[in-house]
Amino acid sequence: MTDSRQDSPQPGSLYVVATPIGNLGDLSPRAVEVLRSVERIAAEDTRHSRKLLQHFAIQTPLVAVHEHNERELAPRLVEQLRAGASLALISDAGTPLISDPGFNLVRLAREAGVRVIPVPGPSALVCALSASGLATDRFVFEGFLPAKRVARRARLAELHHDSRTLILYESSHRIVECLQDLAELFGGGRHAVLARELTKQFETIRDASLEELADWVAADRNQQKGEIVLLVAGCPQPEKDQVSAEAEQLLAILLDELPVKLAAKLAARITGLNKRDLYNRALQLKTLRDG
Ligand code: SAM
């Protein structure tokens, strides 16, 4: 661990600072220190961020950097960083760049050799995942799905076989439609979690099948308000090892009587597995046998 006193803001550095997603108590002491001592804070919405900064008695000047001006402004900010200024980047909530502005600035700063220093903290996706009870070893974050129905369904159709936990951000206006599409395309029985208003007064984390969640949200207008993360369990995969153990046993028997190619061909016909995979496995078995 590093002593926080060794971490006083460095000139010519860009700090990417995570801010709360609801509960102000989640702003880290390090974030407060950095936001107080940098020369300027680049904020997505200066009016919104001023309230946060006032709460912590932070008086650092703000500059607005949002999706409409970021490309134009980033080169100027990088020039100032190169000249030795220190700058912190924040968004309205959570971690900048995660479905939020900042990508152009960070990319340009790194290309210019500016030191970019992350100050980690809340992000709705990790917050939701950590309490969801769904598999966390492999997950895919898709951010916001397309707003238009046809494009949204096309994206979901690409994702429904993925074995990783799927994490989505969804607007409260589209949550009913989105859950209905998910239930239809992924199957109503697939396990899912709706995480709403995390870290806030009406925090709700509910797990159920997609069909149950879709019905529950459609029937209760309160569940159609606020900020929402949706998580869907990955598509169950066939138990590969069991299949290959059985296939291997079959191959071993066939190899007692037949050449490799024929044994693989017959095993493929019997098991429905890929002929090339079985041929490769049969070759390995034969090599092991022949020493
Ligand atoms: N940068 C943010 C982060 O790190 O999570 C995300 C910003 S994105 C514009 C806003 C979306 O994040 C919301 O529409 C919602 O899907 C999700 N979100 C943000 N705060 C949330 C909260 N307190 N509870 C649930 N979802 C939240």
Side-chain angles (χ1 to χ4, degrees):
M1 275 201 225
T2 309
D3 187 329
S4 62
R5 282 165 300 180
Q6 293 170 4
D7 205 30
S8 54
Q10 306 290 311
S13 298
L14 173 63
Y15 289 83
V16 183
V17 182
T19 58
I21 57 169
N23 189 325
L24 293 184
D26 292 336
L27 189 70
S28 74
R30 181 174 173 224
V32 174
E33 190 185 316
V34 167
L35 293 175
R36 264 202 195 119
S37 43
V38 288
E39 278 163 51
R40 277 212 290 177
I41 299 171
E44 184 183 1
D45 176 343
T46 51
R47 272 209 328 212
H48 176 96
S49 293
R50 202 158 276 129
K51 288 183 204 145
L52 172 80
L53 300 179
Q54 266 164 7
H55 181 88
F56 289 93
I58 295 168
Q59 283 162 354
T60 311
L62 289 166
V63 52
V65 178
H66 42 70
E67 59 174 328
H68 305 296
N69 72 356
E70 186 187 342
R71 272 179 188 278
E72 192 192 319
L73 206 59
R76 255 190 284 155
L77 293 174
V78 169
E79 266 324 296
Q80 292 167 10
L81 286 159
R82 278 165 57 88
S86 58
L87 184 72
L89 171 69
I90 60 175
S91 62
D92 286 354
T95 301
L97 282 80
I98 306 299
S99 297
D100 264 342
F103 170 74
N104 291 296
L105 179 59
V106 168
R107 165 68 71 88
L108 210 63
R110 292 192 62 84
E111 280 171 3
V114 167
R115 189 168 170 209
V116 180
I117 303 173
V119 180
S123 190
L125 79 104
V126 175
C127 178
L129 180 64
S130 69
S132 69
L134 296 180
T136 53
D137 52 343
R138 295 174 72 226
F139 59 88
V140 54
F141 173 58
E142 276 287 321
F144 289 96
L145 290 172
K148 297 240 164 71
R149 186 160 188 261
V150 174
R152 181 173 65 239
R153 287 168 69 88
R155 178 73 55 81
L156 289 177
E158 281 170 18
L159 293 166
H160 86 285
H161 278 309
D162 202 313
S163 60
R164 297 168 292 179
T165 298
L166 171 65
I167 307 176
L168 301 169
Y169 285 167
E170 191 48 282
S171 133
S172 52
H173 313 295
R174 281 191 296 271
I175 188 64
V176 173
E177 288 169 46
C178 179
L179 280 166
Q180 285 167 350
D181 283 345
L182 275 164
E184 197 181 312
L185 293 163
F186 284 42
R190 184 92 71 96
H191 196 68
V193 176
L194 182 134
R196 199 175 65 83
E197 294 288 273
L198 292 165
T199 78
K200 302 187 205 176
Q201 189 181 1
F202 296 108
E203 179 177 271
T204 307
I205 303 174
R206 165 122 186 196
D207 62 304
S209 69
L210 278 170
E211 194 174 10
E212 283 165 337
L213 276 183
D215 290 347
W216 176 64
V217 173
D220 182 354
R221 290 195 76 81
N222 283 329
Q223 304 310 325
Q224 300 166 31
K225 293 178 187 160
E227 298 194 280
I228 300 168
V229 183
L230 261 182
L231 306 98
V232 187
C235 183
Q237 299 294 297
E239 287 181 39
K240 263 195 193 151
D241 288 344
Q242 202 186 330
V243 171
S244 33
E246 280 166 9
E248 204 164 296
Q249 215 175 359
L250 176 66
L251 270 177
I253 295 167
L254 292 171
L255 279 171
D256 286 343
E257 309 293 336
L258 300 168
V260 168
K261 201 169 166 189
L262 196 52
K265 190 174 162 189
L266 282 178
R269 275 175 60 188
I270 295 165
T271 63
L273 294 175
N274 181 286
K275 197 161 78 182
R276 181 170 291 276
D277 290 346
L278 288 164
Y279 178 77
N280 289 337
R281 187 73 64 92
L283 265 185
Q284 285 167 353
L285 286 175
K286 184 151 175 35
T287 314
L288 281 173
R289 277 186 185 183
D290 296 349

PDB file of all heavy atoms in Angstrom, residues 250-285:
ATOM      1  N   LEU A 250     -15.161 -43.528 -26.473  1.00  0.00           N
ATOM      2  CA  LEU A 250     -15.628 -44.120 -27.728  1.00  0.00           C
ATOM      3  C   LEU A 250     -14.471 -44.211 -28.730  1.00  0.00           C
ATOM      4  O   LEU A 250     -14.251 -45.262 -29.360  1.00  0.00           O
ATOM      5  CB  LEU A 250     -16.760 -43.264 -28.302  1.00  0.00           C
ATOM      6  CG  LEU A 250     -17.317 -43.681 -29.650  1.00  0.00           C
ATOM      7  CD1 LEU A 250     -18.020 -45.035 -29.553  1.00  0.00           C
ATOM      8  CD2 LEU A 250     -18.300 -42.644 -30.177  1.00  0.00           C
ATOM      9  N   LEU A 251     -13.716 -43.116 -28.832  1.00  0.00           N
ATOM     10  CA  LEU A 251     -12.579 -43.099 -29.766  1.00  0.00           C
ATOM     11  C   LEU A 251     -11.588 -44.211 -29.418  1.00  0.00           C
ATOM     12  O   LEU A 251     -11.071 -44.895 -30.304  1.00  0.00           O
ATOM     13  CB  LEU A 251     -11.846 -41.748 -29.679  1.00  0.00           C
ATOM     14  CG  LEU A 251     -12.308 -40.636 -30.599  1.00  0.00           C
ATOM     15  CD1 LEU A 251     -11.518 -39.371 -30.321  1.00  0.00           C
ATOM     16  CD2 LEU A 251     -12.140 -41.032 -32.070  1.00  0.00           C
ATOM     17  N   ALA A 252     -11.347 -44.364 -28.121  1.00  0.00           N
ATOM     18  CA  ALA A 252     -10.369 -45.371 -27.686  1.00  0.00           C
ATOM     19  C   ALA A 252     -10.802 -46.760 -28.133  1.00  0.00           C
ATOM     20  O   ALA A 252      -9.992 -47.557 -28.632  1.00  0.00           O
ATOM     21  CB  ALA A 252     -10.219 -45.311 -26.170  1.00  0.00           C
ATOM     22  N   ILE A 253     -12.103 -47.053 -28.015  1.00  0.00           N
ATOM     23  CA  ILE A 253     -12.613 -48.370 -28.427  1.00  0.00           C
ATOM     24  C   ILE A 253     -12.473 -48.528 -29.946  1.00  0.00           C
ATOM     25  O   ILE A 253     -11.977 -49.543 -30.444  1.00  0.00           O
ATOM     26  CB  ILE A 253     -14.085 -48.539 -27.989  1.00  0.00           C
ATOM     27  CG1 ILE A 253     -14.171 -48.557 -26.471  1.00  0.00           C
ATOM     28  CG2 ILE A 253     -14.687 -49.806 -28.583  1.00  0.00           C
ATOM     29  CD1 ILE A 253     -15.573 -48.400 -25.912  1.00  0.00           C
ATOM     30  N   LEU A 254     -12.881 -47.492 -30.674  1.00  0.00           N
ATOM     31  CA  LEU A 254     -12.820 -47.567 -32.141  1.00  0.00           C
ATOM     32  C   LEU A 254     -11.377 -47.694 -32.628  1.00  0.00           C
ATOM     33  O   LEU A 254     -11.091 -48.418 -33.589  1.00  0.00           O
ATOM     34  CB  LEU A 254     -13.481 -46.325 -32.758  1.00  0.00           C
ATOM     35  CG  LEU A 254     -15.006 -46.228 -32.555  1.00  0.00           C
ATOM     36  CD1 LEU A 254     -15.530 -44.869 -33.003  1.00  0.00           C
ATOM     37  CD2 LEU A 254     -15.729 -47.328 -33.316  1.00  0.00           C
ATOM     38  N   LEU A 255     -10.467 -47.041 -31.911  1.00  0.00           N
ATOM     39  CA  LEU A 255      -9.051 -47.078 -32.334  1.00  0.00           C
ATOM     40  C   LEU A 255      -8.427 -48.465 -32.142  1.00  0.00           C
ATOM     41  O   LEU A 255      -7.404 -48.781 -32.755  1.00  0.00           O
ATOM     42  CB  LEU A 255      -8.236 -46.038 -31.558  1.00  0.00           C
ATOM     43  CG  LEU A 255      -8.330 -44.597 -32.072  1.00  0.00           C
ATOM     44  CD1 LEU A 255      -7.663 -43.633 -31.095  1.00  0.00           C
ATOM     45  CD2 LEU A 255      -7.688 -44.477 -33.454  1.00  0.00           C
ATOM     46  N   ASP A 256      -9.069 -49.285 -31.270  1.00  0.00           N
ATOM     47  CA  ASP A 256      -8.565 -50.664 -31.107  1.00  0.00           C
ATOM     48  C   ASP A 256      -8.697 -51.443 -32.409  1.00  0.00           C
ATOM     49  O   ASP A 256      -7.936 -52.361 -32.698  1.00  0.00           O
ATOM     50  CB  ASP A 256      -9.382 -51.398 -30.026  1.00  0.00           C
ATOM     51  CG  ASP A 256      -9.015 -50.914 -28.631  1.00  0.00           C
ATOM     52  OD1 ASP A 256      -7.942 -50.294 -28.500  1.00  0.00           O
ATOM     53  OD2 ASP A 256      -9.818 -51.134 -27.706  1.00  0.00           O
ATOM     54  N   GLU A 257      -9.706 -51.061 -33.210  1.00  0.00           N
ATOM     55  CA  GLU A 257     -10.031 -51.843 -34.409  1.00  0.00           C
ATOM     56  C   GLU A 257      -9.766 -51.117 -35.719  1.00  0.00           C
ATOM     57  O   GLU A 257      -9.633 -51.738 -36.759  1.00  0.00           O
ATOM     58  CB  GLU A 257     -11.522 -52.233 -34.389  1.00  0.00           C
ATOM     59  CG  GLU A 257     -12.002 -52.883 -33.098  1.00  0.00           C
ATOM     60  CD  GLU A 257     -11.381 -54.256 -32.885  1.00  0.00           C
ATOM     61  OE1 GLU A 257     -10.963 -54.885 -33.885  1.00  0.00           O
ATOM     62  OE2 GLU A 257     -11.292 -54.680 -31.709  1.00  0.00           O
ATOM     63  N   LEU A 258      -9.761 -49.754 -35.660  1.00  0.00           N
ATOM     64  CA  LEU A 258      -9.804 -48.989 -36.910  1.00  0.00           C
ATOM     65  C   LEU A 258      -8.659 -47.979 -37.006  1.00  0.00           C
ATOM     66  O   LEU A 258      -8.143 -47.536 -35.975  1.00  0.00           O
ATOM     67  CB  LEU A 258     -11.123 -48.201 -36.986  1.00  0.00           C
ATOM     68  CG  LEU A 258     -12.417 -49.028 -36.957  1.00  0.00           C
ATOM     69  CD1 LEU A 258     -13.611 -48.113 -36.736  1.00  0.00           C
ATOM     70  CD2 LEU A 258     -12.569 -49.792 -38.266  1.00  0.00           C
ATOM     71  N   PRO A 259      -8.317 -47.545 -38.229  1.00  0.00           N
ATOM     72  CA  PRO A 259      -7.346 -46.450 -38.373  1.00  0.00           C
ATOM     73  C   PRO A 259      -7.944 -45.126 -37.873  1.00  0.00           C
ATOM     74  O   PRO A 259      -9.176 -44.988 -37.795  1.00  0.00           O
ATOM     75  CB  PRO A 259      -7.081 -46.381 -39.882  1.00  0.00           C
ATOM     76  CG  PRO A 259      -8.138 -47.184 -40.535  1.00  0.00           C
ATOM     77  CD  PRO A 259      -8.756 -48.090 -39.529  1.00  0.00           C
ATOM     78  N   VAL A 260      -7.061 -44.160 -37.603  1.00  0.00           N
ATOM     79  CA  VAL A 260      -7.455 -42.884 -36.983  1.00  0.00           C
ATOM     80  C   VAL A 260      -8.596 -42.196 -37.733  1.00  0.00           C
ATOM     81  O   VAL A 260      -9.593 -41.775 -37.140  1.00  0.00           O
ATOM     82  CB  VAL A 260      -6.217 -41.937 -36.911  1.00  0.00           C
ATOM     83  CG1 VAL A 260      -6.633 -40.525 -36.544  1.00  0.00           C
ATOM     84  CG2 VAL A 260      -5.216 -42.467 -35.898  1.00  0.00           C
ATOM     85  N   LYS A 261      -8.441 -42.110 -39.056  1.00  0.00           N
ATOM     86  CA  LYS A 261      -9.410 -41.330 -39.831  1.00  0.00           C
ATOM     87  C   LYS A 261     -10.816 -41.921 -39.721  1.00  0.00           C
ATOM     88  O   LYS A 261     -11.797 -41.205 -39.501  1.00  0.00           O
ATOM     89  CB  LYS A 261      -8.947 -41.293 -41.290  1.00  0.00           C
ATOM     90  CG  LYS A 261      -9.545 -40.157 -42.068  1.00  0.00           C
ATOM     91  CD  LYS A 261      -8.836 -40.022 -43.390  1.00  0.00           C
ATOM     92  CE  LYS A 261      -9.645 -39.125 -44.290  1.00  0.00           C
ATOM     93  NZ  LYS A 261      -9.138 -39.125 -45.639  1.00  0.00           N
ATOM     94  N   LEU A 262     -10.872 -43.251 -39.846  1.00  0.00           N
ATOM     95  CA  LEU A 262     -12.177 -43.919 -39.811  1.00  0.00           C
ATOM     96  C   LEU A 262     -12.782 -43.857 -38.409  1.00  0.00           C
ATOM     97  O   LEU A 262     -13.989 -43.637 -38.241  1.00  0.00           O
ATOM     98  CB  LEU A 262     -12.006 -45.364 -40.273  1.00  0.00           C
ATOM     99  CG  LEU A 262     -13.268 -46.106 -40.673  1.00  0.00           C
ATOM    100  CD1 LEU A 262     -14.079 -45.318 -41.687  1.00  0.00           C
ATOM    101  CD2 LEU A 262     -12.903 -47.486 -41.246  1.00  0.00           C
ATOM    102  N   ALA A 263     -11.917 -44.024 -37.387  1.00  0.00           N
ATOM    103  CA  ALA A 263     -12.408 -43.959 -36.002  1.00  0.00           C
ATOM    104  C   ALA A 263     -13.015 -42.583 -35.731  1.00  0.00           C
ATOM    105  O   ALA A 263     -14.105 -42.465 -35.154  1.00  0.00           O
ATOM    106  CB  ALA A 263     -11.252 -44.230 -35.029  1.00  0.00           C
ATOM    107  N   ALA A 264     -12.339 -41.521 -36.200  1.00  0.00           N
ATOM    108  CA  ALA A 264     -12.846 -40.150 -35.972  1.00  0.00           C
ATOM    109  C   ALA A 264     -14.159 -39.941 -36.717  1.00  0.00           C
ATOM    110  O   ALA A 264     -15.103 -39.343 -36.197  1.00  0.00           O
ATOM    111  CB  ALA A 264     -11.804 -39.140 -36.424  1.00  0.00           C
ATOM    112  N   LYS A 265     -14.218 -40.470 -37.950  1.00  0.00           N
ATOM    113  CA  LYS A 265     -15.427 -40.287 -38.759  1.00  0.00           C
ATOM    114  C   LYS A 265     -16.638 -40.950 -38.087  1.00  0.00           C
ATOM    115  O   LYS A 265     -17.713 -40.351 -37.965  1.00  0.00           O
ATOM    116  CB  LYS A 265     -15.172 -40.906 -40.143  1.00  0.00           C
ATOM    117  CG  LYS A 265     -16.233 -40.599 -41.152  1.00  0.00           C
ATOM    118  CD  LYS A 265     -15.778 -41.131 -42.502  1.00  0.00           C
ATOM    119  CE  LYS A 265     -16.980 -41.236 -43.431  1.00  0.00           C
ATOM    120  NZ  LYS A 265     -16.637 -41.939 -44.655  1.00  0.00           N
ATOM    121  N   LEU A 266     -16.428 -42.192 -37.615  1.00  0.00           N
ATOM    122  CA  LEU A 266     -17.536 -42.902 -36.963  1.00  0.00           C
ATOM    123  C   LEU A 266     -17.924 -42.218 -35.651  1.00  0.00           C
ATOM    124  O   LEU A 266     -19.113 -42.060 -35.348  1.00  0.00           O
ATOM    125  CB  LEU A 266     -17.132 -44.357 -36.689  1.00  0.00           C
ATOM    126  CG  LEU A 266     -17.181 -45.288 -37.904  1.00  0.00           C
ATOM    127  CD1 LEU A 266     -16.722 -46.684 -37.515  1.00  0.00           C
ATOM    128  CD2 LEU A 266     -18.620 -45.360 -38.450  1.00  0.00           C
ATOM    129  N   ALA A 267     -16.905 -41.782 -34.882  1.00  0.00           N
ATOM    130  CA  ALA A 267     -17.188 -41.112 -33.598  1.00  0.00           C
ATOM    131  C   ALA A 267     -17.994 -39.835 -33.841  1.00  0.00           C
ATOM    132  O   ALA A 267     -18.908 -39.505 -33.075  1.00  0.00           O
ATOM    133  CB  ALA A 267     -15.884 -40.803 -32.867  1.00  0.00           C
ATOM    134  N   ALA A 268     -17.662 -39.121 -34.927  1.00  0.00           N
ATOM    135  CA  ALA A 268     -18.405 -37.889 -35.249  1.00  0.00           C
ATOM    136  C   ALA A 268     -19.851 -38.213 -35.578  1.00  0.00           C
ATOM    137  O   ALA A 268     -20.772 -37.498 -35.165  1.00  0.00           O
ATOM    138  CB  ALA A 268     -17.728 -37.154 -36.408  1.00  0.00           C
ATOM    139  N   ARG A 269     -20.058 -39.329 -36.317  1.00  0.00           N
ATOM    140  CA  ARG A 269     -21.438 -39.692 -36.672  1.00  0.00           C
ATOM    141  C   ARG A 269     -22.225 -40.104 -35.434  1.00  0.00           C
ATOM    142  O   ARG A 269     -23.397 -39.800 -35.295  1.00  0.00           O
ATOM    143  CB  ARG A 269     -21.430 -40.830 -37.694  1.00  0.00           C
ATOM    144  CG  ARG A 269     -21.280 -40.241 -39.095  1.00  0.00           C
ATOM    145  CD  ARG A 269     -21.136 -41.270 -40.160  1.00  0.00           C
ATOM    146  NE  ARG A 269     -22.242 -42.194 -40.274  1.00  0.00           N
ATOM    147  CZ  ARG A 269     -22.212 -43.267 -41.066  1.00  0.00           C
ATOM    148  NH1 ARG A 269     -21.133 -43.519 -41.791  1.00  0.00           N
ATOM    149  NH2 ARG A 269     -23.232 -44.058 -41.159  1.00  0.00           N
ATOM    150  N   ILE A 270     -21.568 -40.796 -34.518  1.00  0.00           N
ATOM    151  CA  ILE A 270     -22.278 -41.279 -33.320  1.00  0.00           C
ATOM    152  C   ILE A 270     -22.574 -40.129 -32.346  1.00  0.00           C
ATOM    153  O   ILE A 270     -23.663 -40.024 -31.806  1.00  0.00           O
ATOM    154  CB  ILE A 270     -21.445 -42.387 -32.613  1.00  0.00           C
ATOM    155  CG1 ILE A 270     -21.341 -43.604 -33.542  1.00  0.00           C
ATOM    156  CG2 ILE A 270     -22.050 -42.771 -31.268  1.00  0.00           C
ATOM    157  CD1 ILE A 270     -20.281 -44.616 -33.150  1.00  0.00           C
ATOM    158  N   THR A 271     -21.565 -39.239 -32.144  1.00  0.00           N
ATOM    159  CA  THR A 271     -21.727 -38.213 -31.089  1.00  0.00           C
ATOM    160  C   THR A 271     -22.258 -36.887 -31.620  1.00  0.00           C
ATOM    161  O   THR A 271     -22.736 -36.052 -30.852  1.00  0.00           O
ATOM    162  CB  THR A 271     -20.364 -37.917 -30.413  1.00  0.00           C
ATOM    163  OG1 THR A 271     -19.480 -37.378 -31.420  1.00  0.00           O
ATOM    164  CG2 THR A 271     -19.752 -39.137 -29.791  1.00  0.00           C
ATOM    165  N   GLY A 272     -22.154 -36.663 -32.922  1.00  0.00           N
ATOM    166  CA  GLY A 272     -22.557 -35.360 -33.467  1.00  0.00           C
ATOM    167  C   GLY A 272     -21.502 -34.284 -33.247  1.00  0.00           C
ATOM    168  O   GLY A 272     -21.710 -33.114 -33.546  1.00  0.00           O
ATOM    169  N   LEU A 273     -20.322 -34.680 -32.704  1.00  0.00           N
ATOM    170  CA  LEU A 273     -19.269 -33.682 -32.459  1.00  0.00           C
ATOM    171  C   LEU A 273     -18.483 -33.428 -33.739  1.00  0.00           C
ATOM    172  O   LEU A 273     -18.587 -34.187 -34.715  1.00  0.00           O
ATOM    173  CB  LEU A 273     -18.314 -34.179 -31.359  1.00  0.00           C
ATOM    174  CG  LEU A 273     -18.934 -34.311 -29.965  1.00  0.00           C
ATOM    175  CD1 LEU A 273     -17.940 -34.918 -28.991  1.00  0.00           C
ATOM    176  CD2 LEU A 273     -19.389 -32.944 -29.458  1.00  0.00           C
ATOM    177  N   ASN A 274     -17.682 -32.363 -33.697  1.00  0.00           N
ATOM    178  CA  ASN A 274     -16.906 -31.938 -34.853  1.00  0.00           C
ATOM    179  C   ASN A 274     -15.855 -32.999 -35.245  1.00  0.00           C
ATOM    180  O   ASN A 274     -15.077 -33.462 -34.407  1.00  0.00           O
ATOM    181  CB  ASN A 274     -16.225 -30.612 -34.486  1.00  0.00           C
ATOM    182  CG  ASN A 274     -15.418 -30.058 -35.608  1.00  0.00           C
ATOM    183  OD1 ASN A 274     -14.357 -30.555 -35.919  1.00  0.00           O
ATOM    184  ND2 ASN A 274     -15.945 -29.011 -36.221  1.00  0.00           N
ATOM    185  N   LYS A 275     -15.861 -33.372 -36.554  1.00  0.00           N
ATOM    186  CA  LYS A 275     -14.988 -34.465 -37.024  1.00  0.00           C
ATOM    187  C   LYS A 275     -13.511 -34.115 -36.851  1.00  0.00           C
ATOM    188  O   LYS A 275     -12.708 -34.952 -36.442  1.00  0.00           O
ATOM    189  CB  LYS A 275     -15.301 -34.760 -38.503  1.00  0.00           C
ATOM    190  CG  LYS A 275     -14.769 -36.101 -38.957  1.00  0.00           C
ATOM    191  CD  LYS A 275     -15.455 -36.573 -40.206  1.00  0.00           C
ATOM    192  CE  LYS A 275     -14.907 -35.860 -41.419  1.00  0.00           C
ATOM    193  NZ  LYS A 275     -15.575 -36.239 -42.658  1.00  0.00           N
ATOM    194  N   ARG A 276     -13.173 -32.849 -37.159  1.00  0.00           N
ATOM    195  CA  ARG A 276     -11.762 -32.447 -37.069  1.00  0.00           C
ATOM    196  C   ARG A 276     -11.262 -32.529 -35.624  1.00  0.00           C
ATOM    197  O   ARG A 276     -10.164 -33.018 -35.364  1.00  0.00           O
ATOM    198  CB  ARG A 276     -11.584 -31.024 -37.598  1.00  0.00           C
ATOM    199  CG  ARG A 276     -10.143 -30.540 -37.572  1.00  0.00           C
ATOM    200  CD  ARG A 276      -9.993 -29.255 -38.317  1.00  0.00           C
ATOM    201  NE  ARG A 276     -10.168 -29.433 -39.755  1.00  0.00           N
ATOM    202  CZ  ARG A 276      -9.190 -29.831 -40.558  1.00  0.00           C
ATOM    203  NH1 ARG A 276      -7.995 -30.096 -40.087  1.00  0.00           N
ATOM    204  NH2 ARG A 276      -9.400 -29.985 -41.838  1.00  0.00           N
ATOM    205  N   ASP A 277     -12.117 -32.067 -34.657  1.00  0.00           N
ATOM    206  CA  ASP A 277     -11.724 -32.131 -33.238  1.00  0.00           C
ATOM    207  C   ASP A 277     -11.483 -33.589 -32.831  1.00  0.00           C
ATOM    208  O   ASP A 277     -10.520 -33.916 -32.139  1.00  0.00           O
ATOM    209  CB  ASP A 277     -12.825 -31.549 -32.330  1.00  0.00           C
ATOM    210  CG  ASP A 277     -12.939 -30.042 -32.493  1.00  0.00           C
ATOM    211  OD1 ASP A 277     -12.020 -29.444 -33.086  1.00  0.00           O
ATOM    212  OD2 ASP A 277     -13.955 -29.483 -32.043  1.00  0.00           O
ATOM    213  N   LEU A 278     -12.389 -34.454 -33.293  1.00  0.00           N
ATOM    214  CA  LEU A 278     -12.259 -35.868 -32.918  1.00  0.00           C
ATOM    215  C   LEU A 278     -11.033 -36.495 -33.583  1.00  0.00           C
ATOM    216  O   LEU A 278     -10.328 -37.311 -32.981  1.00  0.00           O
ATOM    217  CB  LEU A 278     -13.534 -36.630 -33.325  1.00  0.00           C
ATOM    218  CG  LEU A 278     -14.740 -36.297 -32.434  1.00  0.00           C
ATOM    219  CD1 LEU A 278     -16.031 -36.745 -33.080  1.00  0.00           C
ATOM    220  CD2 LEU A 278     -14.584 -36.941 -31.072  1.00  0.00           C
ATOM    221  N   TYR A 279     -10.748 -36.081 -34.821  1.00  0.00           N
ATOM    222  CA  TYR A 279      -9.571 -36.599 -35.525  1.00  0.00           C
ATOM    223  C   TYR A 279      -8.297 -36.197 -34.759  1.00  0.00           C
ATOM    224  O   TYR A 279      -7.420 -37.031 -34.510  1.00  0.00           O
ATOM    225  CB  TYR A 279      -9.539 -36.047 -36.954  1.00  0.00           C
ATOM    226  CG  TYR A 279      -8.333 -36.482 -37.743  1.00  0.00           C
ATOM    227  CD1 TYR A 279      -8.262 -37.761 -38.288  1.00  0.00           C
ATOM    228  CD2 TYR A 279      -7.263 -35.609 -37.937  1.00  0.00           C
ATOM    229  CE1 TYR A 279      -7.147 -38.164 -39.001  1.00  0.00           C
ATOM    230  CE2 TYR A 279      -6.145 -36.005 -38.637  1.00  0.00           C
ATOM    231  CZ  TYR A 279      -6.095 -37.282 -39.178  1.00  0.00           C
ATOM    232  OH  TYR A 279      -4.988 -37.682 -39.872  1.00  0.00           O
ATOM    233  N   ASN A 280      -8.249 -34.920 -34.349  1.00  0.00           N
ATOM    234  CA  ASN A 280      -7.068 -34.454 -33.607  1.00  0.00           C
ATOM    235  C   ASN A 280      -6.904 -35.212 -32.299  1.00  0.00           C
ATOM    236  O   ASN A 280      -5.809 -35.604 -31.917  1.00  0.00           O
ATOM    237  CB  ASN A 280      -7.171 -32.943 -33.321  1.00  0.00           C
ATOM    238  CG  ASN A 280      -6.997 -32.142 -34.596  1.00  0.00           C
ATOM    239  OD1 ASN A 280      -6.409 -32.624 -35.564  1.00  0.00           O
ATOM    240  ND2 ASN A 280      -7.526 -30.926 -34.618  1.00  0.00           N
ATOM    241  N   ARG A 281      -8.041 -35.423 -31.606  1.00  0.00           N
ATOM    242  CA  ARG A 281      -7.985 -36.171 -30.346  1.00  0.00           C
ATOM    243  C   ARG A 281      -7.551 -37.616 -30.585  1.00  0.00           C
ATOM    244  O   ARG A 281      -6.745 -38.182 -29.833  1.00  0.00           O
ATOM    245  CB  ARG A 281      -9.362 -36.119 -29.673  1.00  0.00           C
ATOM    246  CG  ARG A 281      -9.436 -36.703 -28.285  1.00  0.00           C
ATOM    247  CD  ARG A 281      -8.763 -35.835 -27.246  1.00  0.00           C
ATOM    248  NE  ARG A 281      -9.428 -34.563 -27.126  1.00  0.00           N
ATOM    249  CZ  ARG A 281     -10.416 -34.305 -26.259  1.00  0.00           C
ATOM    250  NH1 ARG A 281     -10.813 -35.226 -25.441  1.00  0.00           N
ATOM    251  NH2 ARG A 281     -10.977 -33.129 -26.203  1.00  0.00           N
ATOM    252  N   ALA A 282      -8.077 -38.204 -31.664  1.00  0.00           N
ATOM    253  CA  ALA A 282      -7.724 -39.594 -31.982  1.00  0.00           C
ATOM    254  C   ALA A 282      -6.223 -39.705 -32.272  1.00  0.00           C
ATOM    255  O   ALA A 282      -5.558 -40.655 -31.836  1.00  0.00           O
ATOM    256  CB  ALA A 282      -8.543 -40.077 -33.178  1.00  0.00           C
ATOM    257  N   LEU A 283      -5.694 -38.700 -32.992  1.00  0.00           N
ATOM    258  CA  LEU A 283      -4.255 -38.702 -33.285  1.00  0.00           C
ATOM    259  C   LEU A 283      -3.435 -38.667 -31.998  1.00  0.00           C
ATOM    260  O   LEU A 283      -2.457 -39.408 -31.842  1.00  0.00           O
ATOM    261  CB  LEU A 283      -3.894 -37.472 -34.126  1.00  0.00           C
ATOM    262  CG  LEU A 283      -3.845 -37.611 -35.631  1.00  0.00           C
ATOM    263  CD1 LEU A 283      -3.341 -36.309 -36.245  1.00  0.00           C
ATOM    264  CD2 LEU A 283      -2.933 -38.770 -36.062  1.00  0.00           C
ATOM    265  N   GLN A 284      -3.881 -37.787 -31.061  1.00  0.00           N
ATOM    266  CA  GLN A 284      -3.166 -37.682 -29.783  1.00  0.00           C
ATOM    267  C   GLN A 284      -3.194 -39.020 -29.039  1.00  0.00           C
ATOM    268  O   GLN A 284      -2.182 -39.487 -28.518  1.00  0.00           O
ATOM    269  CB  GLN A 284      -3.810 -36.623 -28.889  1.00  0.00           C
ATOM    270  CG  GLN A 284      -3.514 -35.199 -29.308  1.00  0.00           C
ATOM    271  CD  GLN A 284      -4.433 -34.216 -28.589  1.00  0.00           C
ATOM    272  OE1 GLN A 284      -5.365 -34.600 -27.875  1.00  0.00           O
ATOM    273  NE2 GLN A 284      -4.184 -32.940 -28.817  1.00  0.00           N
ATOM    274  N   LEU A 285      -4.385 -39.650 -29.037  1.00  0.00           N
ATOM    275  CA  LEU A 285      -4.517 -40.932 -28.333  1.00  0.00           C
ATOM    276  C   LEU A 285      -3.600 -41.990 -28.939  1.00  0.00           C
ATOM    277  O   LEU A 285      -2.933 -42.744 -28.233  1.00  0.00           O
ATOM    278  CB  LEU A 285      -5.970 -41.426 -28.401  1.00  0.00           C
ATOM    279  CG  LEU A 285      -6.981 -40.709 -27.513  1.00  0.00           C
ATOM    280  CD1 LEU A 285      -8.389 -41.224 -27.770  1.00  0.00           C
ATOM    281  CD2 LEU A 285      -6.630 -40.902 -26.034  1.00  0.00           C
TER     282      LEU A 285
END
